[in-house]
Amino acid sequence: MTLGLQNAGFQFSDVFEIDSHTCETLKTNHISNGGILHGNVHKEDVSKLSWNEYKNSVRLLAGGAPCQPFSLAGRHLADKDDRNMFPEVLRAVRSLRPQAVMLENVQGLARPSFRPYLEYILRQLKWPSVAPKAGEEWQLHNERIVQHHEASCEGFEYFVNWALLEAAGYGIAQNRRRLFIIATKAGNKEKFNFPLVSHKKEALIRTQSNGEYWKKHCISAPNSGLNLTSTSNLDEFAKIKAWKTVRDAIADLPAPATCKTKSDTNHWLIPGARIYRGHSGSRLDWPAKTIKAGVHGVPGGENIVLLDDGTHRYFTLRETARLQGFPDDFVFCGARLHITRQIGNAVPVGLAEAVGRVLYKHIEKISY
């Protein structure tokens, strides 16, 4: 998210992260070390942080609260999960009163069982001045916000919009749906609208069905395995960008090193990949499945690529970084477990940039 928003025009002054390996990665890629990231890196537990020294004219507060409480693969505890950091996100909003807020989380937050809590988050963003009382249950706080809104003669403090975005629709070589929330100060009468998708599945099917895709990669079209004629009227997608595929993203990388010690770019073969029913790996000529943050918990499918010769292997860490949109000179620090978490938990760079470009133009209209 930091890199994508930086590409969109934002220049961060401060970046907060509690994980030591992630902090090492951020510092390694900082401009002071010849990298590309701006902003002072703070190894901090934000739940213990006072925001008083950061109050001066904050344009953007951006972040991703831990997704595990709302993940389809998690314990589904939502607000009862001690990893739920949304209360800290809202505490920061109340203290900093930024011009805009950008939040990202898993799509599970929008499913019916969690939808009341999502609505509660959105209401808090609309009325941050209505703070929770000490020990107050969120349901009671939610009722007070509703009552405040009904009794108020004034409009919202922030305009809030949210959407489920598919990363492949914004030029990322990965099928990854994520929930984005944008809040902007209501002083700007124009409400924020999410960017339209720039890449479409039908356009990819078109280029594969007419041979353009295979010619570009100098390979023969497969005899079977891809349904290239399932969409009618494909000519209408001639001027639309196609979804990017795994092959588009990684074909120009050199052969992976045989072991970690022989690569300084996170590009080495990882042994032990296996596939099984329901976990069949990612095809080269389609966007990848969602890159996951786990190692032992996802032994089959999610972080595996199916090769042209019928074999399969784990994606290298550099390949997963490419599938998340990171440039090759962005180096990740730590063991495989730590790097996999960093890459798998990241917001795709191009997706953050696409949303960020619209948001940057939007808040340029807001006067301090």
Side-chain angles (χ1 to χ4, degrees), residues 105-152:
N105 213 278
V106 292
Q107 63 174 329
L109 181 57
R111 60 179 166 162
S113 58
F114 294 155
R115 190 61 178 267
Y117 195 75
L118 171 60
E119 296 292 342
Y120 169 56
I121 293 169
L122 300 177
R123 287 193 183 98
Q124 288 184 87
L125 286 170
K126 292 176 181 177
W127 294 101
S129 64
V130 186
K133 299 176 181 178
E136 185 178 32
E137 294 289 333
W138 75 261
Q139 293 89 345
L140 295 177
H141 182 214
N142 185 54
E143 290 179 8
R144 286 201 299 112
I145 301 174
V146 171
Q147 292 170 2
H148 177 85
H149 172 61
E150 292 175 347
S152 176

Side-chain angles (χ1 to χ4, degrees), residues 25-244:
T25 292
L26 292 168
K27 291 177 180 178
T28 298
N29 291 279
H30 195 270
I31 56 172
S32 61
N33 296 317
I36 54 180
L37 287 177
H38 294 276
N40 298 314
V41 178
H42 306 270
K43 185 180 183 303
E44 295 276 4
D45 179 350
V46 294
S47 67
K48 300 176 181 178
L49 185 66
S50 170
W51 295 105
N52 289 333
E53 63 182 285
Y54 302 100
K55 282 189 174 183
N56 294 330
S57 299
V58 176
R59 296 190 73 198
L60 175 66
L61 174 68
C67 64
Q68 292 91 338
F70 310 98
S71 174
L72 296 176
R75 293 179 288 170
H76 310 165
L77 296 179
D79 61 293
K80 298 180 178 63
D81 195 311
D82 57 10
R83 295 168 295 182
N84 176 27
M85 294 290 285
F86 274 108
E88 291 304 321
V89 171
L90 273 300
R91 185 175 71 88
V93 172
R94 292 186 183 98
S95 180
L96 297 173
R97 294 303 177 98
Q99 297 294 326
V101 180
M102 176 176 175
L103 305 176
E104 180 265 358
N105 213 278
V106 292
Q107 63 174 329
L109 181 57
R111 60 179 166 162
S113 58
F114 294 155
R115 190 61 178 267
Y117 195 75
L118 171 60
E119 296 292 342
Y120 169 56
I121 293 169
L122 300 177
R123 287 193 183 98
Q124 288 184 87
L125 286 170
K126 292 176 181 177
W127 294 101
S129 64
V130 186
K133 299 176 181 178
E136 185 178 32
E137 294 289 333
W138 75 261
Q139 293 89 345
L140 295 177
H141 182 214
N142 185 54
E143 290 179 8
R144 286 201 299 112
I145 301 174
V146 171
Q147 292 170 2
H148 177 85
H149 172 61
E150 292 175 347
S152 176
C153 298
E154 300 177 1
F156 296 120
E157 297 169 28
Y158 281 80
F159 290 131
V160 180
N161 196 3
W162 70 277
L164 288 173
L165 303 182
E166 166 60 70
Y170 298 89
I172 302 298
Q174 182 186 170
N175 285 132
R176 186 185 189 95
R177 293 190 80 207
R178 287 296 183 266
L179 184 146
F180 279 76
I181 301 173
I182 301 293
T184 56
K185 274 193 173 179
N188 181 7
K189 300 302 181 182
E190 182 179 339
K191 297 182 180 181
F192 173 86
N193 292 309
F194 284 94
L196 299 175
V197 297
S198 55
H199 297 66
K200 290 192 175 183
K201 174 180 68 176
E202 293 83 358
L204 172 60
I205 295 174
R206 176 187 177 278
T207 64
Q208 291 181 339
S209 63
N210 67 17
E212 292 177 18
Y213 175 86
W214 314 107
K215 183 178 180 180
K216 177 180 69 173
H217 287 291
C218 300
I219 56 176
S220 299
N223 295 323
S224 61
L226 290 175
N227 185 3
L228 301 179
T229 59
S230 61
T231 303
S232 61
N233 301 322
L234 292 179
D235 286 344
E236 67 182 278
F237 297 99
K239 295 182 180 181
I240 297 176
K241 293 180 180 179
W243 271 4
K244 290 187 177 180

